[in-house]
Amino acid sequence: MQIKGVLFDFSGTLFRIESVRSWLAAALAELGLSVDEAAFDRYATELEAACALPGGPTAPRVPETLAEAWASRDESAHLHRVAYTGLARQVALPDPGLYDALYERHRTPAAWAPYPDAAEVLGALAGSGIRIGVVSNIGWDLRPVFRAHGLDAFVDAYVLSFEHGIQKPDARLFRTACTLLGQHPTDVVMVGDSRHADGGAAALGCEVRFVKHAPLAERPHGLRELGLVPEVA
């Protein structure tokens, strides 16, 4: 196929969230709190076990009280906050303000880093005249993250689940993105790390290519290896 447009997932595809320890340390610093090393290790371990870090591992099970919010968490900003602060509240942290501080921290550009080859691949695609979109299941506006890391200039359209009230794999999100790019779905490739969520684009006729959701150091060339453009194939 001749690729005329490429849609990218955000978390685990173009960007990686910081570690739980970095996340917790930043929230503590924001509130001017300090804890001893043993307590810090305990909080970090328990937050990680609760899968409370948005963008980190997905919780296999959630408390019954959070089940409804969790199922629709990416359909609104409110539900996203309820779901993730609820997971964090399973851990007894030393200050009640930490739960909101943790949530706010993960929405900052400093909490995210692009994969090593993201700028190269996006720049090559844009330079070849290929239209680029970002399609993400998310409960907040990620555009500032792209701007802060210098990748916004490559993106022609953002389709964020909370702004549309629907989540991937719903084909309507991918159709909206293709329409915004001015391309027919059969001329568009969807790139993501979730076969369930991102694989929904195949229902429209998009080709879907997958990358491994891995730490930055373990996936230096994952986007490059997809062969989206000859220059970085």
Side-chain angles (χ1 to χ4, degrees):
M1 68 179 287
Q2 179 183 357
I3 300 173
K4 297 181 180 179
V6 182
L7 305 176
F8 289 93
D9 172 51
F10 167 57
S11 176
T13 299
L14 290 177
F15 282 84
R16 176 81 177 187
I17 189 67
E18 66 186 334
S19 69
V20 169
R21 295 179 67 86
S22 174
W23 177 53
L24 175 59
L28 287 166
E30 178 66 24
L31 296 185
L33 299 173
S34 61
V35 297
D36 62 41
E37 184 176 350
F40 182 89
D41 288 344
R42 183 173 70 255
Y43 300 142
T45 298
E46 292 178 0
L47 286 166
E48 189 161 15
C51 297
L53 174 60
T58 301
R61 294 180 302 278
V62 299
E64 187 175 342
T65 54
L66 293 176
E68 186 174 350
W70 182 255
S72 303
R73 63 192 180 281
D74 294 316
E75 295 178 9
S76 78
H78 171 70
L79 289 175
H80 194 269
R81 179 182 286 272
V82 167
Y84 279 103
T85 57
L87 290 178
R89 288 180 194 280
Q90 295 179 94
V91 179
L93 296 176
D95 187 292
L98 272 170
Y99 303 104
D100 284 328
L102 286 168
Y103 187 82
E104 293 303 323
R105 166 65 185 184
H106 103 275
R107 302 199 308 170
T108 65
W112 297 88
Y115 278 91
D117 54 351
E120 178 185 0
V121 170
L122 291 179
L125 288 170
S128 299
I130 296 172
R131 304 275 286 172
I132 296 171
V134 172
V135 184
S136 177
N137 277 353
I138 198 164
W140 49 275
D141 185 4
L142 52 71
R143 294 173 184 86
V145 175
F146 278 76
R147 288 196 292 269
H149 290 280
L151 301 185
D152 179 66
F154 302 128
V155 180
D156 298 295
Y158 294 91
V159 179
L160 311 182
S161 60
F162 83 103
E163 295 181 337
H164 296 268
I166 48 178
Q167 305 177 142
K168 296 184 292 187
D170 193 312
R172 290 176 291 175
L173 280 180
F174 304 108
R175 187 180 299 280
T176 296
C178 290
T179 298
L180 290 173
L181 295 187
Q183 303 297 334
H184 191 275
T186 56
D187 295 322
V188 174
V189 174
M190 174 67 204
V191 177
D193 66 310
S194 169
R195 294 188 178 273
H196 171 68
D198 301 311
L204 295 180
C206 295
E207 181 182 338
V208 185
R209 303 184 189 183
F210 296 101
V211 290
K212 182 181 179 181
H213 188 122
L216 300 177
E218 295 178 17
R219 212 196 77 193
H221 310 303
L223 294 166
R224 230 197 264 164
E225 292 168 351
L226 295 177
L228 293 167
V229 287
E231 291 84 353
V232 291

